[in-house]
Amino acid sequence: MAPSQDNPAAARNLGKGKIATAVAILGERIVAGDFAPGRPLPVEADLAQTLDVGRSVLREAIKVLASKGMVSARPRLGTMILPRSQWNLFDHDVLHWMLRPGLVEPGLLRDILVARAIIEPQAARLAAINATMSDKANIRAAFRAMAESVGDPDASVRADIQFHTSILEASHNAILHAFSPALTAILSAFFQISIQNPEIFPGNLPAHERVAREIDAEDPEAAHAAMLDVLGYTEADLTERLKL
Amino acid sequence: MAPSQDNPAAARNLGKGKIATAVAILGERIVAGDFAPGRPLPVEADLAQTLDVGRSVLREAIKVLASKGMVSARPRLGTMILPRSQWNLFDHDVLHWMLRPGLVEPGLLRDILVARAIIEPQAARLAAINATMSDKANIRAAFRAMAESVGDPDASVRADIQFHTSILEASHNAILHAFSPALTAILSAFFQISIQNPEIFPGNLPAHERVAREIDAEDPEAAHAAMLDVLGYTEADLTERLKL
DNA sequence: GACAAGGATTCATCTGATGAATCATTTTTG
DNA sequence: CAAAAATGATTCATCAGATGAATCCTTGTC
C-alpha cells in the first residue's frame, strides 16, 4: 500500500506526526493562495483522502489552523478561509509560511521592520534596567557565538536568534518576551533572504556588540540607540535587496 | 440520559460547540492552577469522561490548547502543562483566562501597561501619517460612541475597544493590527476591574478626544503624546486600584 | 410573487479498535 | 555485583464508520 509515498508534499514528514504534517501542508497552500480567502476548503472527506490521512487527523489539523485565525468551520457552510487581516501574525507557523522565499509580500516585510523598530529598542532599554547577572551572561554568550560563527550560516542564524530573544527575555516583561517565537520565525526568514551575501552578517556585528555592552553597563538610552542601529543595518540590507 | 446536566462547569455551554466548551474549561482550570506546570493532565480517557465528552472532542480541544502553547502531548509521557513563559500571551483566550478578576497577577498587569505604552502611542503616530478618510471616520465614530455611552458599562467597553482597535487598524501596519484580538481581551478585562468606579471612564474622555483630533489633523507627535496620556490615565487608575 | 416545507449537504460528535513511542522493570551477561 | 539488553505496560496517535445537528436550497402551495 505504501501510504503517502508518491505525495510530494508529504515528503517532509520527518518524524513529525501526521497532524503537524497536515497543518503544514494546508497552511502553506492557503498562504500560497491555492485556496482563496472567503472560499471554502474541500469537504472533509475529500480533503482527508487528498492528504492521505483519516478524518480525525484532518479535523485536529483544522482546529489548529482555526486557532491561528486562518480558517473558520461551520456546519453546512464548510470550512472557510478567513481574510489575511484575521491571521495571527504572531504565530510562528503563520509567519514562517508567509515569509517563504519567493512569495514574500514587500509590504509585510516593511511592516515587520517598522514593528521591530518600535519594540526591540524598547526591549533593549528595559533589559538595561532589569537584566540579572544571568541575563547579561546569556546576551554576552549569544554575541560571542555570533562572532565565532561567521562563515557558518546555520550557526549564525541560531546565534542571532539567541541574541535577540535573550534581550526580550532580559527585559523581564512577559508581553515582550512573548514575541520570541514570532521573532524566531522572522529572523530565520530574513536570513534565508539575505544570507546569500556572506558579508552582511559580519558587518552588523559591531552594532550588536554595542547593544550587549550597553545593557551590561545598565545604560538604557545607549542600549536603545544601539538596538536602533542594529535594525537600521538590517533594514538597509533588506531594502536594497528587495527594492522596497 | 440528559448529558452534561449536573456538571456545573458545563453550564456555560450556550450554543458554543462542545470543543469550545472543553477548551474553555481546561484553559480556565490550567490558568487557575488546578494542574501545575510540568505535570501531566489526566489520561485522555479519564479526562474525556470527567468533561462528559467523547475522546475526539477532547483531543481536538487539546490540539487548540497546544497551539496556544499551554500544553504539549507526547505518547507515553502524557499531556504536560507547559511553563507559563511559553504560553501565547497574544492569544485572546489565554489573556482572557489570565486576567480573570480575582486571580490577576499584578506583575502581568504591569507588563501589559508597559507594553501598551510602547506600542499604542507609536500606532497612533503611524495612524496620523497613514490613516485614510475612512479610518479617520471610524476613529471619530468610536469616540462619539464612547462619549454617548457613559453610564452603560457594556456599551462603554465596546466603544473603547473599537476606539483602540480602529487606531491599530489605521496605522496600516499588519503587525500592529494583529494586536487587536489581544487588546480586545485586555480592555475587556481592565473594564471588569475598574468599572466599579463609574467616574473613571468619563475622566479619560478628553485624552481620547485629543488622540482622535490629532490623528485627524495628521500630527504624528501630538497623536503620540495624546495616546501616552490616555495610557497614563489608565495606569494611574489601575495602579491605585491594585496597589501595584 | 411570497412564503413555508422538505430534502440535501456539510460539519460535529461519538464509539471502538489498532498502531507507535516511551518508560519501567526484569533478565541476561560480563 | 553491576551494567546492558530485552520485555512489558502505559499513553497518545491514528484510523474507520455511524449518527446527529445546522444550514442552505429547491420545491410546492397559496
Side-chain angles (χ1 to χ4, degrees):
Chain A
M1 293 296 183
S4 71
Q5 192 157 355
D6 49 349
N7 185 344
R12 49 181 78 105
N13 184 344
L14 305 169
K16 304 174 305 184
K18 294 194 178 183
I19 296 176
T21 305
V23 169
I25 294 174
L26 288 176
E28 288 178 11
R29 291 193 61 184
I30 291 172
V31 169
D34 286 8
F35 308 106
R39 316 238 359 187
L41 241 56
V43 299
E44 280 183 348
D46 294 353
L47 197 53
Q49 196 170 10
T50 301
L51 297 179
D52 190 24
V53 296
R55 284 205 307 288
S56 296
V57 171
L58 176 63
R59 282 186 58 77
E60 288 169 31
I62 285 178
K63 272 288 167 298
V64 174
L65 290 175
S67 89
K68 296 181 191 301
M70 296 180 72
V71 303
S72 163
R74 283 174 52 196
R76 169 64 198 177
L77 296 180
T79 302
M80 310 291 284
I81 313 291
L82 293 176
R84 279 173 131 73
S85 62
Q86 297 208 26
W87 297 2
N88 177 11
L89 293 183
F90 298 122
D91 184 276
H92 183 284
D93 293 330
V94 175
L95 278 172
H96 181 247
W97 297 328
M98 293 188 81
L99 294 176
R100 217 152 13 141
L103 45 84
V104 186
E105 296 171 34
L108 177 59
L109 223 46
R110 186 209 54 193
D111 287 353
I112 288 174
L113 289 169
V114 170
R116 287 188 67 190
I118 291 173
I119 293 158
E120 291 198 67
Q122 294 285 1
R125 165 207 275 271
L126 287 175
I129 298 171
N130 298 325
T132 64
M133 290 293 168
S134 155
D135 293 326
K136 291 177 180 177
N138 286 339
I139 295 169
R140 281 197 306 267
F143 173 74
R144 272 200 305 277
M146 285 181 70
E148 291 165 3
S149 71
V150 175
D152 179 345
D154 205 51
S156 293
V157 187
R158 262 184 288 115
D160 194 52
I161 290 172
Q162 192 62 43
F163 183 85
H164 287 271
T165 55
S166 293
I167 289 168
L168 290 180
E169 189 173 0
S171 75
H172 284 273
N173 182 297
I175 303 291
L176 297 184
H177 186 213
F179 274 100
S180 294
L183 192 57
T184 299
I186 288 170
L187 291 175
S188 312
F190 278 9
F191 265 82
Q192 288 186 328
I193 294 172
S194 41
I195 202 68
Q196 301 137 358
N197 184 348
E199 174 186 313
I200 287 141
F201 177 66
N204 208 352
L205 273 178
H208 279 82
E209 198 272 335
R210 241 178 50 246
V211 171
R213 193 174 56 235
E214 300 299 357
I215 290 175
D216 232 31
E218 302 183 359
D219 184 335
E221 301 314 317
H224 182 277
M227 181 61 90
L228 263 181
D229 287 348
V230 167
L231 296 176
Y233 197 103
T234 303
E235 181 170 10
D237 169 45
L238 285 172
T239 300
E240 178 190 347
R241 195 169 301 280
L242 296 167
K243 310 167 199 66
L244 288 182
Chain B
M1 285 299 184
S4 72
Q5 193 158 354
D6 49 348
N7 185 345
R12 50 180 78 105
N13 184 347
L14 305 168
K16 303 175 306 184
K18 293 193 178 182
I19 297 176
T21 306
V23 168
I25 294 174
L26 288 176
E28 288 178 12
R29 292 194 59 185
I30 291 172
V31 169
D34 286 8
F35 308 106
R39 317 234 4 178
L41 240 55
V43 297
E44 279 183 349
D46 294 352
L47 198 51
Q49 196 170 10
T50 302
L51 298 179
D52 190 24
V53 296
R55 284 204 310 290
S56 296
V57 172
L58 175 63
R59 283 185 58 76
E60 290 169 32
I62 285 179
K63 274 287 168 297
V64 173
L65 291 176
S67 89
K68 295 183 191 301
M70 295 180 72
V71 304
S72 163
R74 284 172 52 195
R76 167 63 199 177
L77 296 179
T79 302
M80 310 291 284
I81 313 293
L82 293 176
R84 278 173 132 75
S85 62
Q86 297 207 27
W87 296 2
N88 177 10
L89 293 183
F90 298 121
D91 185 275
H92 183 285
D93 293 330
V94 175
L95 278 172
H96 181 247
W97 297 327
M98 292 187 82
L99 294 177
R100 218 153 11 145
L103 46 83
V104 187
E105 297 171 33
L108 176 59
L109 223 46
R110 187 209 55 195
D111 287 353
I112 288 174
L113 290 169
V114 170
R116 286 187 69 189
I118 290 173
I119 292 159
E120 290 199 67
Q122 295 285 0
R125 170 205 289 271
L126 288 174
I129 298 171
N130 298 325
T132 65
M133 290 293 168
S134 155
D135 293 326
K136 291 176 181 176
N138 286 339
I139 295 169
R140 281 196 307 266
F143 174 73
R144 271 199 306 276
M146 285 181 71
E148 293 165 3
S149 72
V150 174
D152 179 346
D154 205 50
S156 293
V157 186
R158 263 185 287 116
D160 194 52
I161 289 172
Q162 192 63 42
F163 183 85
H164 287 272
T165 56
S166 293
I167 289 169
L168 290 180
E169 189 174 0
S171 74
H172 283 272
N173 181 297
I175 303 292
L176 296 185
H177 187 212
F179 274 99
S180 294
L183 192 57
T184 299
I186 288 169
L187 290 175
S188 311
F190 278 11
F191 266 81
Q192 288 188 328
I193 294 172
S194 40
I195 203 67
Q196 301 137 356
N197 184 349
E199 175 185 313
I200 286 139
F201 176 66
N204 207 353
L205 273 177
H208 279 83
E209 198 272 336
R210 241 177 51 245
V211 171
R213 193 172 56 234
E214 300 299 356
I215 290 175
D216 232 30
E218 302 182 0
D219 185 336
E221 301 315 317
H224 181 277
M227 181 61 90
L228 264 181
D229 286 349
V230 167
L231 296 175
Y233 197 103
T234 303
E235 180 170 11
D237 168 44
L238 285 172
T239 299
E240 178 190 346
R241 195 168 301 279
L242 295 166
K243 312 169 197 63
L244 289 182

